[in-house]
Amino acid sequence: MENFAVIDFETMGMSPSEKVRAVSVSLAVVKDGQVVERFHSLMNSGVPMPEDAEMLTGITSGMLANSPVSSVVMQQVVSLTKGCRLAAHNADFHQAFWLFELAASGIHQDDAPFICTLKLARQTYPGLDIYALNNLAAALGLPSEEGPESMPTNADLATNLLLHIQHEFEPRSRNS
């Protein structure tokens, strides 16, 4: 079974740039089918949080000012994810911020494609009305761990979704 790390960024907007940065990262590291590490941190990129993003995420410029610098957080994340395949729900979005934050932090890493739990869910469970992570977790009865604000993080939900999908495709032992 492949080791993987599921990553989720909270951001200031939809596309990374010098003025639109990641403001937090959550991740869950899975080895041999078990979550062995969880991590969450706000990230201070030095860019003020736009009001609309504040309202959407609940993360304020004041909270970011007292948070670790983005480059330090990204170094921790790279260390935690070493040797793991990366995954995310809506992977194209998260991979864009991953690559941007790595470059902004001066960290070079190979550009391996992320596993996309959104695409996997659409293929595995066709015909659902909505493939938003919270809806999928509820529809499939997936467990959710509490995150740093006593809420399940999207990294935890996407991890549970990926493990659920993997379980769907595991060879079943047959009793003869």
Side-chain angles (χ1 to χ4, degrees):
M1 184 174 281
E2 188 173 29
N3 296 335
F4 59 88
V6 180
I7 295 177
D8 182 75
F9 287 104
E10 291 296 329
T11 68
M12 296 177 176
M14 297 303 292
S15 184
S17 71
E18 291 301 321
K19 294 183 180 183
V20 178
R21 301 288 298 273
V23 294
S24 80
V25 61
S26 297
L27 69 91
V29 177
V30 176
K31 295 189 176 177
D32 298 321
Q34 299 295 317
V35 176
V36 296
E37 182 88 38
R38 285 188 172 81
F39 177 82
H40 174 81
S41 181
L42 293 174
M43 302 169 60
N44 182 355
S45 66
V47 177
M49 189 71 162
E51 252 184 68
D52 58 338
E54 252 183 46
M55 292 177 62
L56 186 64
T57 64
I59 298 170
T60 66
S61 290
M63 293 165 71
L64 295 176
N66 297 316
S67 299
V69 234
S70 298
S71 60
V72 170
V73 174
M74 289 305 294
Q75 194 64 47
Q76 289 176 290
V77 170
V78 166
S79 177
L80 290 168
T81 60
K82 187 175 182 169
C84 295
R85 179 92 187 268
L86 300 178
H89 199 72
N90 190 8
D92 291 343
F93 172 84
H94 293 286
Q95 186 171 15
F97 278 93
W98 168 261
L99 294 172
F100 186 89
E101 292 300 335
L102 287 176
S105 300
I107 301 169
H108 174 74
Q109 195 159 17
D110 292 335
D111 181 16
F114 276 46
I115 299 167
C116 184
T117 59
L118 175 61
K119 289 178 184 173
L120 285 174
R122 285 182 175 149
Q123 292 169 352
T124 308
Y125 310 108
L128 295 178
D129 291 333
I130 299 174
Y131 290 89
L133 196 48
N134 288 332
N135 293 42
L136 282 167
L140 298 171
L142 299 178
S144 60
E145 303 296 325
E146 289 189 350
E149 287 83 31
S150 299
M151 297 285 290
T153 69
N154 284 346
D156 286 320
L157 292 175
T159 299
N160 291 337
L161 174 61
L162 186 52
L163 288 169
H164 187 79
I165 291 170
Q166 274 188 333
H167 182 71
E168 293 271 331
F169 292 100
E170 283 178 355
R172 306 239 183 329
S173 59
R174 298 177 195 257
N175 295 332
S176 304

